[in-house]
Amino acid sequence: MTKLRLYSAKACPFAHRTRLVLQEKAIDHELTEVDLQNKPRAFVDASLYGKVPAIEHDGHRIWESAIINEYLEEVFPDPPLLPREPGRRALARIWIDHANTRLVPAFGQLLRAETPEQEAEGRKTLGDVLAFIEREALAKSSGPYWLGAEISLVDLAFYPWFERLPAVGRLRGFSIPAELTRLQAWLDAVQARDAVRAHLNPVDFYVERYAKFVKPAAATAA
């Protein structure tokens, strides 16, 4: 097989997902950091949507983080990051879809709110999403991770937005509600992993990039 090439952008949470999977699986790869304001031709050819992440591997061009990560799971099966049993594998895919269709929009809704009313609505929506995760996923898990004792693609699909959440806390005054103790324990367990620590960015890195979405009067002190 040819060496895998990843097209990524450090600030992108979707690309962050794939970087974590590559790190967890110790997959040798070449990294191309993409300036999304000045996209190189090779990247445009690899990602027909013009978005990161995208990979080139063994003659294939693949984009969209959830699809890339399942491809990596199939081609590099050890260590496994999805359950083998079909029902549990389906459940994992349901939760990954939940990250894409519930958490990501709620995060963006709060971050990009333009009025106090929109900000209040965004804060409630994101809080409701986190409470659902606590109640329906993590409180029912038999281990520290989403699906139990071992980390999975589900954890890595959700985590990048939680790494960025403290930046939203600075800009919008939002934090994980104290009563969501299982969610906080999950976050602590994921952040302790070597693969996650290898790609960890400081809060200021995200604040600098997200501040443009927040009117100065709405920002809160750190």
Side-chain angles (χ1 to χ4, degrees):
M1 289 187 180
T2 57
K3 190 171 185 178
L4 186 147
R5 177 178 294 277
L6 169 67
Y7 294 94
S8 179
K10 190 175 182 181
C12 174
F14 295 97
H16 193 173
R17 287 171 161 178
T18 295
R19 292 170 86 143
L20 293 175
V21 172
L22 290 167
Q23 192 79 27
E24 284 285 350
K25 287 181 170 289
I27 298 171
D28 187 28
H29 64 282
E30 295 179 356
L31 172 65
T32 297
E33 192 73 9
V34 177
D35 178 356
L36 294 174
Q37 304 306 313
N38 185 25
K39 300 172 184 176
R41 181 74 248 174
F43 165 68
V44 174
D45 290 342
S47 176
L48 298 189
Y49 295 170
K51 301 189 299 183
V52 291
I55 64 169
E56 292 176 330
H57 181 245
D58 204 28
H60 303 296
R61 298 177 300 166
I62 304 169
W63 55 97
E64 294 294 331
S65 62
I67 296 170
I68 290 171
N69 291 352
E70 286 220 31
Y71 172 84
L72 296 175
E73 174 70 4
E74 292 177 4
V75 176
F76 304 94
D78 295 315
L81 292 176
L82 279 178
R84 296 188 183 280
E85 194 275 315
R88 286 184 57 75
R89 184 169 286 225
L91 179 62
R93 291 181 173 128
I94 289 169
W95 279 116
I96 291 169
D97 180 73
H98 188 85
N100 294 339
T101 61
R102 300 295 191 274
L103 177 64
V104 174
F107 184 97
Q109 180 183 351
L110 176 56
L111 183 63
R112 292 175 169 80
E114 296 182 355
T115 67
E117 293 76 17
Q118 289 177 353
E119 186 175 342
E121 183 179 353
R123 186 175 288 107
K124 181 181 184 304
T125 299
L126 184 55
D128 288 346
V129 170
L130 299 187
F132 183 87
I133 289 170
E134 169 93 3
R135 181 178 68 251
E136 299 299 332
L138 298 173
K140 297 178 179 180
S141 175
S142 59
Y145 303 112
W146 215 276
L147 300 180
E150 304 296 334
I151 199 163
S152 72
L153 293 185
V154 181
D155 303 284
L156 303 181
F158 276 90
Y159 172 74
W161 284 266
F162 285 90
E163 182 171 302
R164 291 154 176 77
L165 199 56
V168 179
R170 288 196 190 178
L171 296 167
R172 293 298 194 186
F174 182 90
S175 60
I176 295 175
E179 65 271 19
L180 302 185
T181 56
R182 188 61 186 81
L183 178 58
Q184 186 60 59
W186 166 81
L187 181 57
D188 292 343
V190 175
Q191 287 186 322
R193 296 187 69 84
D194 290 341
V196 172
R197 295 173 68 85
H199 292 281
L200 184 68
N201 291 309
V203 177
D204 287 346
F205 175 84
Y206 298 117
V207 170
E208 180 181 348
R209 285 151 181 81
Y210 288 162
K212 63 184 178 182
F213 299 116
V214 180
K215 294 179 181 180
T220 57

